[in-house]
Amino acid sequence: MSKFSKKRGKASPEVSTASLPDIIFMLLFFFMVVTVLRDAELKVKVSTPFASELTKLEEKSLVNYVYIGRPVKKYQNLYGTKPRIQLGDKFATVADIPLFLEKHKVKVPEAKRPKITSSLRVDGEVTMGIVQDVKTQLRKSGQLKVNYSAKKDPNVN
Amino acid sequence: MAKSRTRDRMKNEINAGSMADIAFLLLIFFLVTTTIVEDKGITVKLPPWSEEEPDITRLKERNVYAVLVNAQNQLLVRGEPMRVRDLKNNAKEFISNPQKRSDLAEKPTKAIISLKNDRGTNYDTYLRVYNELKAAYNELWDELSRRKFGVPYSDDLPLAYRKAIKGEIPFVLSEAEPTNFGEE
């Protein structure tokens, strides 16, 4: 009996919020480390097809992206509606691929260069002709590790 | 006077109450601006470039699993039309040849998949076909791995295991130069 009454008088019931900034900072650092800023604005419409046998691309710094698709509406009067290649943040042709690969390669430490992967982010509606041209160019440039970007079909298990 | 002022200053503390707000602001900024892009896909090793066409006529016909995809996205597998969804099981039967039929592959190590498409084939169809062929191999590897080592096949298996499995059932897929009948 006396125990309860004693306590109530003394303590002012306040939770210390002093550690709140630390917690928030921790969250902040987590998100800063985990997320990667999208470096390129997509100028072509890319909706990758569905597939089931997927492998994950591990190290982002070892990946270069080749986008293939029809230009988005904003660029259609300039570039037409035929499928185009986008390298980095600008439209390109097949002939620009070797330079693009080389530019990416010099940023990668020498030991890791064999692990460089090209991620082909290709729209599902594009025909194989342009994809084939890109593949041939990649082979000619010695870039043989290729990842056909795809996503998991949500309707299948 | 001066003494008392310094003492006052030492007592002063920066009010850290707004720190949480600042951190929150940064946090929300990063949450909004960043996108976690899932980078997944079908990894493929392209063959090195060579000028001359590889010659597959030397191979025995029974060991070659020819898949043709035309510009209308139709499939022709070993001379017979086929739907994409039947491709996986058909390929599996061809590779493993459980009944030792004389028209299917002699043994998995000799089986070769030959994939040829048109320049007008949809990329979606091409990837679906490729996916099915890969799935056939993945299932075969999985079955073999369970039989041999009692564990399902995955990329986390020890390298020796994976080598043993892939030595028994190697994934050989040859892509021919596409035809050009239906490009837009």
Side-chain angles (χ1 to χ4, degrees):
Chain A
M1 272 266 281
S2 58
K3 248 186 199 168
F4 295 112
S5 55
K6 218 191 264 169
K7 259 198 175 166
R8 197 175 291 165
K10 260 188 191 169
S12 57
E14 251 182 71
V15 182
S16 164
T17 55
S19 55
L20 193 61
D22 304 352
I23 297 166
I24 304 297
F25 263 117
M26 220 155 70
L27 271 174
L28 174 65
F29 288 143
F30 171 75
F31 274 98
M32 278 174 72
V33 169
V34 161
T35 54
V36 180
L37 282 167
R38 167 167 293 196
D39 52 350
E41 176 209 3
L42 271 184
K43 291 184 174 174
V44 292
K45 184 187 144 280
V46 171
S47 151
T48 50
F50 294 119
S52 59
E53 313 304 310
L54 300 171
T55 41
K56 222 171 171 182
L57 283 175
E58 294 298 346
E59 257 183 277
K60 291 263 163 62
S61 58
L62 296 180
V63 180
N64 49 48
Y65 295 94
V66 178
Y67 303 93
I68 305 172
R70 294 174 197 284
V72 293
K73 213 153 203 175
K74 206 163 82 182
Y75 297 101
Q76 268 177 10
N77 47 11
L78 207 59
Y79 293 98
T81 53
K82 282 198 103 171
R84 300 281 303 231
I85 305 166
Q86 183 188 344
L87 298 171
D89 52 0
K90 44 188 177 292
F91 287 106
T93 59
V94 178
D96 299 327
I97 290 176
L99 188 64
F100 171 74
L101 292 174
E102 202 55 45
K103 272 185 183 162
H104 175 251
K105 210 183 220 169
V106 294
K107 284 192 237 161
V108 177
E110 198 135 9
K112 286 186 172 174
R113 282 184 193 170
K115 285 183 157 182
I116 293 177
T117 311
S118 277
S119 175
L120 294 189
R121 301 185 69 89
V122 184
D123 193 89
E125 285 166 27
V126 167
T127 52
M128 279 307 287
I130 188 164
V131 182
Q132 191 64 40
D133 294 341
V134 170
K135 265 165 70 184
T136 307
Q137 191 62 47
L138 287 174
R139 283 173 63 195
K140 281 181 179 168
S141 327
Q143 172 62 51
L144 302 178
K145 266 192 95 178
V146 166
N147 184 288
Y148 296 124
S149 200
K151 49 187 181 245
K152 199 149 198 98
D153 194 345
N155 300 321
V156 179
N157 57 54
Chain B
M1 268 263 285
K3 242 184 195 173
S4 66
R5 203 185 275 163
T6 45
R7 208 193 296 136
D8 274 355
R9 213 180 273 158
M10 277 167 82
K11 258 190 197 167
N12 276 346
E13 268 178 43
I14 300 171
N15 182 15
S18 53
M19 187 101 107
D21 304 351
I22 298 165
F24 252 128
L25 215 75
L26 278 171
L27 175 65
I28 289 164
F29 169 75
F30 273 96
L31 271 176
V32 170
T33 50
T34 54
T35 44
I36 302 179
V37 222
E38 11 61 271
D39 260 331
K40 284 183 180 168
I42 300 174
T43 303
V44 172
K45 192 116 174 98
L46 298 177
W49 178 255
S50 67
E51 289 298 331
E52 69 255 35
E53 288 255 315
D55 181 25
I56 59 166
T57 47
R58 289 181 292 110
L59 299 164
K60 276 191 204 159
E61 203 183 316
R62 63 176 288 192
N63 288 327
V64 179
Y65 191 75
V67 181
L68 304 167
V69 194
N70 72 1
Q72 280 75 47
N73 303 320
Q74 290 158 332
L75 234 61
L76 197 71
V77 179
R78 309 192 91 196
E80 306 266 333
M82 193 182 283
R83 283 171 303 182
V84 178
R85 70 181 111 115
D86 301 326
L87 183 61
K88 184 173 75 183
N89 288 329
N90 195 279
K92 269 175 79 178
E93 199 191 343
F94 166 79
I95 300 154
S96 56
N97 196 2
Q99 283 138 24
K100 301 274 169 252
R101 279 167 53 181
S102 61
D103 58 335
L104 304 182
E106 285 173 70
K107 50 185 172 182
T109 43
K110 293 221 170 153
I112 284 181
I113 312 267
S114 156
L115 177 60
K116 189 168 184 171
N117 57 276
D118 191 84
R119 288 179 71 90
T121 308
N122 252 353
Y123 176 70
D124 184 53
T125 311
Y126 168 80
L127 205 65
R128 275 216 323 267
V129 169
Y130 204 104
N131 187 53
E132 291 304 306
L133 294 172
K134 191 129 200 230
Y137 271 99
N138 272 340
E139 283 186 15
L140 286 172
W141 286 337
D142 195 56
E143 282 164 20
L144 185 66
S145 172
R146 279 170 203 272
R147 223 174 30 237
K148 258 186 131 165
F149 307 114
V151 281
Y153 182 82
S154 75
D155 284 335
D156 304 327
L157 278 184
L159 192 68
Y161 283 20
R162 271 185 289 156
K163 267 207 172 138
I165 290 166
K166 289 200 177 170
E168 227 164 289
I169 310 179
F171 182 38
V172 186
L173 193 145
S174 135
E175 283 187 70
E177 199 54 34
T179 51
N180 189 5
F181 293 119
E183 198 177 22
E184 51 183 319

